[in-house]
Amino acid sequence: MPARRLPAGGPVLAALTDLLGLAGPAWLLLRAGDQPRPLAAAAVAGLLWAGLRGTRGRYTDRLRTAPGGAACAVGAVGDWLVLIGLLAVLHTAAGSPVDPATAVVAVAPGLLIAAAVAGLRRWPRSARRAGRVRRVLLVGEAPGVGRAAGLLNSRTDHDYMLVAAVPVGAARLELEGVQVAGHLASCPADDDVSTVLGGVYAHEADLVLVAPGPQLTGDRLRHLGWGLHDRGVALSVLSEVSGVAAERVRPVTAAGLTLLHIAPPLRGGPQAMVKNVLDRTGALFGLLALAPLLLAVALSVRLSSRGPVFHRQVRQGQHNRPFTMWKFRTMVADAEQLKAQLAVVNEVDGPLFKMRSDPRVTPVGRMLRRTSIDELPQLVNVLLGHMSLVGPRPPLPEEASRYDEREHRRLTVKPGLTGLWQVSGRSDLTWQETVSLDLWYVDNWSVAADMGLLARTVRAVTDGRGAY
């Protein structure tokens, strides 16, 4: 997608903000650390930072979307890691007397400022788009139209509202709640454009979404696009590729063909190392900061019902490796023995077991579950490397043993304390919705996306929806 430039002067202002946002705090920290020539060192670091960000295209406003329409990250963490590498090379080549550890700490605020400014840049546009709904006219053969309509109508975390459909061919289209605005013949016809435009005007659609097929492709699709664009109607073409974030897709043309290059999911490299460091650091600081709360909760669990304070349970982690997961005990001591008797009233499909009013949950446990405080001991699992702060939930061994190939892909990454399931409905989700969200995360995670999910988790935990 072509980049939309910032308003006049915008790139210069953004670069200046990055330069001063890194150089200013760096100068203060280097000076406080009694480092030699702090002003010169901070200025060089600031210029390198702004130059690096500029060459990597960070001062253009690219329209990208992620699940829920949220704006995706600009890659500030990756830029900062490259900056550290450049400074290390420069430090060695020039024989700088500045202490390397102090230098890394000094440029760290620049990363936070860049990320915050980028978020503020995107917020007004996101706020404007939040109330905008695209009215969609769906065009295509019955199977493709049915699949697209089913997916669009089954989810609410997008800005597309299906208002009508124009099927191609003689096959009957039966979709509940979807009006048919006309039919296209099986073969190209002169009235293709007028038929689709009639549906657009009749249903006040502002976007035509085409599901290509054997009867609607090549020259026929191109002529339809010409007719729609000449009359100011937007056109989108549905791809068979799904579950891929926009950042991983790069369109190119070759020999008149439109190709979609799809980058592989992150499995290693700098971002994986940063994620590991942030996980361990975040878990350590979380345990220290929450120590008084954890002690109070432990006392309330111990005094309110018979049984241990903590509930230890074997779960399956990354690559299906078992580990012992810690939680505050929220159920009666013999809960596992009672589970078999309650299996017939399981309220969740798939291999999970969930009950909205589980009789095994204690009064204190119900409060802990609603606020998700019972999950906090898993910070120990994060610190030990069994889990991540963000990722799919770890399944029980008997649940994992029933996974099919698709569901087993959830175990490609470390399980998490929170994730897309946590901010998207938690226990109110069906099993297949949970799997879809987890698979999206497995293939499209990034450090910046993790930071956004952690922030959204605070809101999800606060309102307590789906927690039982």
mmCIF file of all heavy atoms in Angstrom, residues 120-156:
data_model
loop_
_atom_site.group_PDB
_atom_site.id
_atom_site.type_symbol
_atom_site.label_atom_id
_atom_site.label_comp_id
_atom_site.label_asym_id
_atom_site.label_seq_id
_atom_site.Cartn_x
_atom_site.Cartn_y
_atom_site.Cartn_z
ATOM 1 N N LEU A 120 0.714 8.694 19.658
ATOM 2 C CA LEU A 120 -0.083 9.922 19.607
ATOM 3 C C LEU A 120 -0.372 10.343 18.175
ATOM 4 O O LEU A 120 -1.434 10.874 17.868
ATOM 5 C CB LEU A 120 0.659 11.045 20.344
ATOM 6 C CG LEU A 120 0.742 10.891 21.866
ATOM 7 C CD1 LEU A 120 1.616 11.977 22.465
ATOM 8 C CD2 LEU A 120 -0.652 10.927 22.493
ATOM 9 N N ARG A 121 0.606 10.098 17.266
ATOM 10 C CA ARG A 121 0.400 10.412 15.858
ATOM 11 C C ARG A 121 -0.745 9.607 15.285
ATOM 12 O O ARG A 121 -1.541 10.083 14.502
ATOM 13 C CB ARG A 121 1.665 10.090 15.060
ATOM 14 C CG ARG A 121 2.554 11.252 14.743
ATOM 15 C CD ARG A 121 3.737 10.785 13.913
ATOM 16 N NE ARG A 121 3.311 10.093 12.718
ATOM 17 C CZ ARG A 121 4.108 9.322 11.997
ATOM 18 N NH1 ARG A 121 5.352 9.104 12.374
ATOM 19 N NH2 ARG A 121 3.664 8.735 10.900
ATOM 20 N N ARG A 122 -0.836 8.329 15.672
ATOM 21 C CA ARG A 122 -1.834 7.449 15.103
ATOM 22 C C ARG A 122 -3.188 7.572 15.801
ATOM 23 O O ARG A 122 -4.213 7.254 15.227
ATOM 24 C CB ARG A 122 -1.366 5.986 15.189
ATOM 25 C CG ARG A 122 -0.432 5.640 14.042
ATOM 26 C CD ARG A 122 0.457 4.521 14.410
ATOM 27 N NE ARG A 122 1.058 3.834 13.295
ATOM 28 C CZ ARG A 122 1.801 4.376 12.337
ATOM 29 N NH1 ARG A 122 1.997 5.668 12.320
ATOM 30 N NH2 ARG A 122 2.340 3.649 11.378
ATOM 31 N N TRP A 123 -3.203 8.055 17.031
ATOM 32 C CA TRP A 123 -4.447 8.068 17.802
ATOM 33 C C TRP A 123 -5.549 8.898 17.164
ATOM 34 O O TRP A 123 -6.692 8.444 17.084
ATOM 35 C CB TRP A 123 -4.179 8.556 19.216
ATOM 36 C CG TRP A 123 -5.443 8.579 20.033
ATOM 37 C CD1 TRP A 123 -6.039 7.535 20.652
ATOM 38 C CD2 TRP A 123 -6.276 9.718 20.271
ATOM 39 N NE1 TRP A 123 -7.189 7.926 21.273
ATOM 40 C CE2 TRP A 123 -7.359 9.260 21.064
ATOM 41 C CE3 TRP A 123 -6.216 11.051 19.896
ATOM 42 C CZ2 TRP A 123 -8.367 10.117 21.475
ATOM 43 C CZ3 TRP A 123 -7.217 11.901 20.311
ATOM 44 C CH2 TRP A 123 -8.277 11.439 21.094
ATOM 45 N N PRO A 124 -5.286 10.134 16.693
ATOM 46 C CA PRO A 124 -6.396 10.901 16.111
ATOM 47 C C PRO A 124 -7.021 10.189 14.924
ATOM 48 O O PRO A 124 -8.234 10.165 14.775
ATOM 49 C CB PRO A 124 -5.722 12.227 15.694
ATOM 50 C CG PRO A 124 -4.516 12.331 16.566
ATOM 51 C CD PRO A 124 -4.052 10.923 16.733
ATOM 52 N N ARG A 125 -6.172 9.575 14.047
ATOM 53 C CA ARG A 125 -6.726 8.878 12.916
ATOM 54 C C ARG A 125 -7.527 7.668 13.364
ATOM 55 O O ARG A 125 -8.588 7.370 12.841
ATOM 56 C CB ARG A 125 -5.600 8.432 11.975
ATOM 57 C CG ARG A 125 -6.125 7.866 10.654
ATOM 58 C CD ARG A 125 -5.020 7.224 9.835
ATOM 59 N NE ARG A 125 -4.570 5.997 10.454
ATOM 60 C CZ ARG A 125 -3.308 5.655 10.578
ATOM 61 N NH1 ARG A 125 -2.362 6.469 10.167
ATOM 62 N NH2 ARG A 125 -2.977 4.503 11.143
ATOM 63 N N SER A 126 -7.015 6.940 14.363
ATOM 64 C CA SER A 126 -7.731 5.769 14.866
ATOM 65 C C SER A 126 -9.064 6.179 15.471
ATOM 66 O O SER A 126 -10.072 5.489 15.321
ATOM 67 C CB SER A 126 -6.877 5.040 15.915
ATOM 68 O OG SER A 126 -5.668 4.605 15.343
ATOM 69 N N ALA A 127 -9.056 7.315 16.180
ATOM 70 C CA ALA A 127 -10.294 7.790 16.799
ATOM 71 C C ALA A 127 -11.323 8.154 15.739
ATOM 72 O O ALA A 127 -12.508 7.886 15.881
ATOM 73 C CB ALA A 127 -9.998 9.001 17.700
ATOM 74 N N ARG A 128 -10.841 8.763 14.630
ATOM 75 C CA ARG A 128 -11.771 9.112 13.560
ATOM 76 C C ARG A 128 -12.351 7.872 12.905
ATOM 77 O O ARG A 128 -13.524 7.811 12.578
ATOM 78 C CB ARG A 128 -11.051 9.969 12.500
ATOM 79 C CG ARG A 128 -10.725 11.369 12.941
ATOM 80 C CD ARG A 128 -10.356 12.227 11.739
ATOM 81 N NE ARG A 128 -9.230 11.682 10.994
ATOM 82 C CZ ARG A 128 -7.975 11.978 11.236
ATOM 83 N NH1 ARG A 128 -7.668 12.800 12.220
ATOM 84 N NH2 ARG A 128 -7.003 11.448 10.506
ATOM 85 N N ARG A 129 -11.469 6.843 12.711
ATOM 86 C CA ARG A 129 -11.908 5.644 12.026
ATOM 87 C C ARG A 129 -12.782 4.757 12.899
ATOM 88 O O ARG A 129 -13.496 3.894 12.398
ATOM 89 C CB ARG A 129 -10.698 4.839 11.558
ATOM 90 C CG ARG A 129 -9.895 5.527 10.484
ATOM 91 C CD ARG A 129 -8.859 4.590 9.922
ATOM 92 N NE ARG A 129 -9.513 3.446 9.279
ATOM 93 C CZ ARG A 129 -8.840 2.397 8.834
ATOM 94 N NH1 ARG A 129 -7.539 2.340 8.963
ATOM 95 N NH2 ARG A 129 -9.481 1.391 8.266
ATOM 96 N N ALA A 130 -12.701 4.969 14.236
ATOM 97 C CA ALA A 130 -13.427 4.079 15.142
ATOM 98 C C ALA A 130 -14.929 4.120 14.889
ATOM 99 O O ALA A 130 -15.617 3.115 15.025
ATOM 100 C CB ALA A 130 -13.125 4.445 16.594
ATOM 101 N N GLY A 131 -15.455 5.300 14.499
ATOM 102 C CA GLY A 131 -16.892 5.413 14.289
ATOM 103 C C GLY A 131 -17.306 5.213 12.842
ATOM 104 O O GLY A 131 -18.463 5.362 12.504
ATOM 105 N N ARG A 132 -16.357 4.880 11.936
ATOM 106 C CA ARG A 132 -16.665 4.740 10.528
ATOM 107 C C ARG A 132 -16.914 3.284 10.181
ATOM 108 O O ARG A 132 -16.105 2.426 10.474
ATOM 109 C CB ARG A 132 -15.510 5.278 9.687
ATOM 110 C CG ARG A 132 -15.764 5.194 8.187
ATOM 111 C CD ARG A 132 -14.534 5.586 7.403
ATOM 112 N NE ARG A 132 -14.783 5.506 5.979
ATOM 113 C CZ ARG A 132 -13.840 5.621 5.061
ATOM 114 N NH1 ARG A 132 -12.593 5.814 5.440
ATOM 115 N NH2 ARG A 132 -14.133 5.542 3.778
ATOM 116 N N VAL A 133 -18.031 3.012 9.532
ATOM 117 C CA VAL A 133 -18.375 1.658 9.111
ATOM 118 C C VAL A 133 -18.476 1.643 7.590
ATOM 119 O O VAL A 133 -19.159 2.475 6.992
ATOM 120 C CB VAL A 133 -19.709 1.204 9.744
ATOM 121 C CG1 VAL A 133 -20.108 -0.163 9.214
ATOM 122 C CG2 VAL A 133 -19.583 1.184 11.262
ATOM 123 N N ARG A 134 -17.770 0.716 6.947
ATOM 124 C CA ARG A 134 -17.837 0.572 5.498
ATOM 125 C C ARG A 134 -19.030 -0.310 5.144
ATOM 126 O O ARG A 134 -19.155 -1.437 5.624
ATOM 127 C CB ARG A 134 -16.548 -0.063 4.965
ATOM 128 C CG ARG A 134 -15.270 0.668 5.315
ATOM 129 C CD ARG A 134 -15.215 2.062 4.736
ATOM 130 N NE ARG A 134 -15.300 2.075 3.287
ATOM 131 C CZ ARG A 134 -14.235 2.049 2.477
ATOM 132 N NH1 ARG A 134 -13.011 1.954 2.978
ATOM 133 N NH2 ARG A 134 -14.393 2.112 1.162
ATOM 134 N N ARG A 135 -19.893 0.198 4.293
ATOM 135 C CA ARG A 135 -21.056 -0.555 3.825
ATOM 136 C C ARG A 135 -20.622 -1.349 2.589
ATOM 137 O O ARG A 135 -20.247 -0.767 1.570
ATOM 138 C CB ARG A 135 -22.221 0.380 3.509
ATOM 139 C CG ARG A 135 -22.752 1.102 4.756
ATOM 140 C CD ARG A 135 -23.871 2.088 4.406
ATOM 141 N NE ARG A 135 -24.999 1.437 3.766
ATOM 142 C CZ ARG A 135 -25.993 0.829 4.413
ATOM 143 N NH1 ARG A 135 -25.974 0.791 5.745
ATOM 144 N NH2 ARG A 135 -26.990 0.271 3.755
ATOM 145 N N VAL A 136 -20.684 -2.663 2.687
ATOM 146 C CA VAL A 136 -20.061 -3.539 1.697
ATOM 147 C C VAL A 136 -21.102 -4.239 0.831
ATOM 148 O O VAL A 136 -22.077 -4.814 1.337
ATOM 149 C CB VAL A 136 -19.185 -4.609 2.394
ATOM 150 C CG1 VAL A 136 -18.601 -5.586 1.378
ATOM 151 C CG2 VAL A 136 -18.065 -3.927 3.177
ATOM 152 N N LEU A 137 -20.872 -4.182 -0.492
ATOM 153 C CA LEU A 137 -21.621 -4.999 -1.440
ATOM 154 C C LEU A 137 -20.694 -6.120 -1.883
ATOM 155 O O LEU A 137 -19.615 -5.876 -2.434
ATOM 156 C CB LEU A 137 -22.063 -4.172 -2.649
ATOM 157 C CG LEU A 137 -22.809 -4.947 -3.741
ATOM 158 C CD1 LEU A 137 -24.200 -5.338 -3.261
ATOM 159 C CD2 LEU A 137 -22.904 -4.135 -5.035
ATOM 160 N N LEU A 138 -21.082 -7.352 -1.640
ATOM 161 C CA LEU A 138 -20.240 -8.511 -1.908
ATOM 162 C C LEU A 138 -20.604 -9.112 -3.258
ATOM 163 O O LEU A 138 -21.777 -9.379 -3.537
ATOM 164 C CB LEU A 138 -20.440 -9.547 -0.796
ATOM 165 C CG LEU A 138 -19.528 -10.766 -0.756
ATOM 166 C CD1 LEU A 138 -18.062 -10.360 -0.738
ATOM 167 C CD2 LEU A 138 -19.859 -11.605 0.472
ATOM 168 N N VAL A 139 -19.590 -9.320 -4.114
ATOM 169 C CA VAL A 139 -19.806 -9.834 -5.462
ATOM 170 C C VAL A 139 -18.946 -11.084 -5.651
ATOM 171 O O VAL A 139 -17.745 -11.070 -5.326
ATOM 172 C CB VAL A 139 -19.437 -8.779 -6.532
ATOM 173 C CG1 VAL A 139 -19.659 -9.350 -7.931
ATOM 174 C CG2 VAL A 139 -20.255 -7.516 -6.343
ATOM 175 N N GLY A 140 -19.535 -12.153 -6.189
ATOM 176 C CA GLY A 140 -18.753 -13.356 -6.447
ATOM 177 C C GLY A 140 -19.633 -14.574 -6.599
ATOM 178 O O GLY A 140 -20.870 -14.499 -6.501
ATOM 179 N N GLU A 141 -19.004 -15.717 -6.855
ATOM 180 C CA GLU A 141 -19.740 -16.970 -6.967
ATOM 181 C C GLU A 141 -20.232 -17.396 -5.592
ATOM 182 O O GLU A 141 -19.653 -17.046 -4.560
ATOM 183 C CB GLU A 141 -18.853 -18.026 -7.591
ATOM 184 C CG GLU A 141 -18.442 -17.676 -9.022
ATOM 185 C CD GLU A 141 -17.393 -18.621 -9.563
ATOM 186 O OE1 GLU A 141 -17.545 -19.843 -9.370
ATOM 187 O OE2 GLU A 141 -16.422 -18.132 -10.171
ATOM 188 N N ALA A 142 -21.294 -18.175 -5.581
ATOM 189 C CA ALA A 142 -21.989 -18.508 -4.337
ATOM 190 C C ALA A 142 -21.075 -19.052 -3.241
ATOM 191 O O ALA A 142 -21.160 -18.600 -2.092
ATOM 192 C CB ALA A 142 -23.132 -19.486 -4.622
ATOM 193 N N PRO A 143 -20.175 -20.011 -3.526
ATOM 194 C CA PRO A 143 -19.333 -20.527 -2.429
ATOM 195 C C PRO A 143 -18.442 -19.457 -1.809
ATOM 196 O O PRO A 143 -18.338 -19.365 -0.575
ATOM 197 C CB PRO A 143 -18.502 -21.624 -3.116
ATOM 198 C CG PRO A 143 -19.304 -22.031 -4.303
ATOM 199 C CD PRO A 143 -19.964 -20.779 -4.771
ATOM 200 N N GLY A 144 -17.797 -18.637 -2.647
ATOM 201 C CA GLY A 144 -16.918 -17.586 -2.123
ATOM 202 C C GLY A 144 -17.687 -16.515 -1.377
ATOM 203 O O GLY A 144 -17.254 -16.025 -0.330
ATOM 204 N N VAL A 145 -18.857 -16.144 -1.922
ATOM 205 C CA VAL A 145 -19.694 -15.149 -1.253
ATOM 206 C C VAL A 145 -20.184 -15.678 0.091
ATOM 207 O O VAL A 145 -20.195 -14.961 1.098
ATOM 208 C CB VAL A 145 -20.881 -14.756 -2.153
ATOM 209 C CG1 VAL A 145 -21.918 -13.952 -1.361
ATOM 210 C CG2 VAL A 145 -20.395 -13.941 -3.337
ATOM 211 N N GLY A 146 -20.584 -16.957 0.118
ATOM 212 C CA GLY A 146 -21.064 -17.536 1.370
ATOM 213 C C GLY A 146 -19.990 -17.554 2.437
ATOM 214 O O GLY A 146 -20.255 -17.243 3.603
ATOM 215 N N ARG A 147 -18.761 -17.931 2.054
ATOM 216 C CA ARG A 147 -17.665 -17.972 3.027
ATOM 217 C C ARG A 147 -17.350 -16.572 3.553
ATOM 218 O O ARG A 147 -17.220 -16.370 4.767
ATOM 219 C CB ARG A 147 -16.424 -18.577 2.374
ATOM 220 C CG ARG A 147 -15.181 -18.535 3.243
ATOM 221 C CD ARG A 147 -14.002 -19.207 2.543
ATOM 222 N NE ARG A 147 -12.777 -19.069 3.312
ATOM 223 C CZ ARG A 147 -11.934 -18.058 3.189
ATOM 224 N NH1 ARG A 147 -12.195 -17.092 2.307
ATOM 225 N NH2 ARG A 147 -10.842 -17.999 3.923
ATOM 226 N N ALA A 148 -17.238 -15.593 2.647
ATOM 227 C CA ALA A 148 -16.911 -14.230 3.067
ATOM 228 C C ALA A 148 -18.018 -13.636 3.932
ATOM 229 O O ALA A 148 -17.752 -12.996 4.956
ATOM 230 C CB ALA A 148 -16.664 -13.350 1.843
ATOM 231 N N ALA A 149 -19.264 -13.864 3.529
ATOM 232 C CA ALA A 149 -20.385 -13.320 4.301
ATOM 233 C C ALA A 149 -20.438 -13.942 5.688
ATOM 234 O O ALA A 149 -20.686 -13.246 6.690
ATOM 235 C CB ALA A 149 -21.698 -13.558 3.556
ATOM 236 N N GLY A 150 -20.196 -15.249 5.766
ATOM 237 C CA GLY A 150 -20.212 -15.914 7.070
ATOM 238 C C GLY A 150 -19.161 -15.363 8.007
ATOM 239 O O GLY A 150 -19.433 -15.134 9.203
ATOM 240 N N LEU A 151 -17.959 -15.126 7.485
ATOM 241 C CA LEU A 151 -16.885 -14.593 8.333
ATOM 242 C C LEU A 151 -17.160 -13.152 8.742
ATOM 243 O O LEU A 151 -16.959 -12.773 9.898
ATOM 244 C CB LEU A 151 -15.547 -14.694 7.598
ATOM 245 C CG LEU A 151 -15.010 -16.116 7.397
ATOM 246 C CD1 LEU A 151 -13.767 -16.099 6.509
ATOM 247 C CD2 LEU A 151 -14.677 -16.752 8.747
ATOM 248 N N LEU A 152 -17.629 -12.328 7.806
ATOM 249 C CA LEU A 152 -17.906 -10.928 8.133
ATOM 250 C C LEU A 152 -19.019 -10.805 9.166
ATOM 251 O O LEU A 152 -18.957 -9.961 10.068
ATOM 252 C CB LEU A 152 -18.283 -10.156 6.868
ATOM 253 C CG LEU A 152 -17.155 -9.844 5.885
ATOM 254 C CD1 LEU A 152 -17.722 -9.225 4.614
ATOM 255 C CD2 LEU A 152 -16.132 -8.895 6.514
ATOM 256 N N ASN A 153 -20.026 -11.638 9.050
ATOM 257 C CA ASN A 153 -21.169 -11.551 9.969
ATOM 258 C C ASN A 153 -20.915 -12.211 11.318
ATOM 259 O O ASN A 153 -21.639 -11.953 12.279
ATOM 260 C CB ASN A 153 -22.408 -12.175 9.325
ATOM 261 C CG ASN A 153 -22.948 -11.348 8.177
ATOM 262 O OD1 ASN A 153 -22.728 -10.140 8.121
ATOM 263 N ND2 ASN A 153 -23.644 -11.989 7.256
ATOM 264 N N SER A 154 -19.894 -13.068 11.393
ATOM 265 C CA SER A 154 -19.640 -13.777 12.648
ATOM 266 C C SER A 154 -18.745 -12.999 13.598
ATOM 267 O O SER A 154 -18.616 -13.375 14.765
ATOM 268 C CB SER A 154 -18.986 -15.139 12.354
ATOM 269 O OG SER A 154 -17.679 -14.972 11.814
ATOM 270 N N ARG A 155 -18.130 -11.932 13.110
ATOM 271 C CA ARG A 155 -17.211 -11.151 13.947
ATOM 272 C C ARG A 155 -17.662 -9.703 13.981
ATOM 273 O O ARG A 155 -18.265 -9.191 13.032
ATOM 274 C CB ARG A 155 -15.788 -11.235 13.390
ATOM 275 C CG ARG A 155 -15.205 -12.636 13.325
ATOM 276 C CD ARG A 155 -14.596 -13.048 14.633
ATOM 277 N NE ARG A 155 -13.424 -12.258 14.958
ATOM 278 C CZ ARG A 155 -12.177 -12.575 14.574
ATOM 279 N NH1 ARG A 155 -11.963 -13.666 13.850
ATOM 280 N NH2 ARG A 155 -11.157 -11.824 14.920
ATOM 281 N N THR A 156 -17.349 -9.035 15.083
ATOM 282 C CA THR A 156 -17.693 -7.609 15.223
ATOM 283 C C THR A 156 -16.455 -6.737 15.397
ATOM 284 O O THR A 156 -16.583 -5.534 15.612
ATOM 285 C CB THR A 156 -18.629 -7.402 16.428
ATOM 286 O OG1 THR A 156 -17.970 -7.873 17.616
ATOM 287 C CG2 THR A 156 -19.940 -8.144 16.236
#
